Amino acid sequence: MPHADLKYSNDLNIDPSSILRDIEQVIQSVDPSSGLCKGRAYPAAVFHHTHILVNISLLPKPHRDAAFTQNLLEQLERQIKSHLTQACQFSLGITYTDLGYTTGAFTPNG
């Protein structure tokens, strides 16, 4: 299950929920086996320069090679920027988790 984190200056006029939905759709269109994308948005009240930073985290898989990553990066950048209506600094990164990571659903007993 991928993760998407948006960190942005709170003077940026964006709809973070819409951006997170579109990020999930792009990831699923490039990799239908990816599943749902957990998304979070963090507006910063204290900041220096108007900006948005998007971090995408995926599990490593054999098909997620350099060409896959470049294609995903380009599609995500295009889609996210379509939501922006004002000048800002833009950063987007895709990272792959290492072996020291666990993920899955948790359901408490009783």
Side-chain angles (χ1 to χ4, degrees):
M1 182 177 280
H3 290 263
D5 291 327
L6 305 180
K7 298 175 185 177
Y8 58 96
S9 55
N10 70 357
D11 67 333
L12 200 56
N13 184 22
I14 61 170
D15 178 358
S17 295
S18 180
I19 294 173
L20 290 169
R21 275 191 303 275
D22 281 358
I23 288 171
E24 180 177 70
Q25 288 174 352
V26 168
I27 293 170
Q28 289 175 343
S29 74
V30 173
D31 185 355
S33 70
S34 65
L36 302 175
C37 181
K38 294 179 262 188
R40 294 161 295 278
Y42 304 98
V46 178
F47 60 91
H48 188 63
H49 303 295
T50 301
H51 69 278
I52 184 169
L53 167 62
V54 183
N55 291 311
I56 307 296
S57 177
L58 300 163
L59 293 172
K61 297 192 177 182
H63 68 279
R64 293 180 178 163
D65 58 11
F68 170 91
T69 302
Q70 187 59 40
N71 178 42
L72 180 59
L73 188 68
E74 291 169 3
Q75 290 195 43
L76 285 169
E77 181 177 8
R78 187 171 30 259
Q79 185 61 40
I80 295 165
K81 284 182 174 178
S82 76
H83 290 269
L84 304 177
T85 60
Q86 65 197 98
C88 66
Q89 296 298 309
F90 178 88
S91 301
L92 168 62
I94 297 173
T95 59
Y96 291 95
T97 56
D98 61 18
L99 297 176
Y101 181 82
T102 185
T103 187
F106 170 77
T107 304
N109 295 329

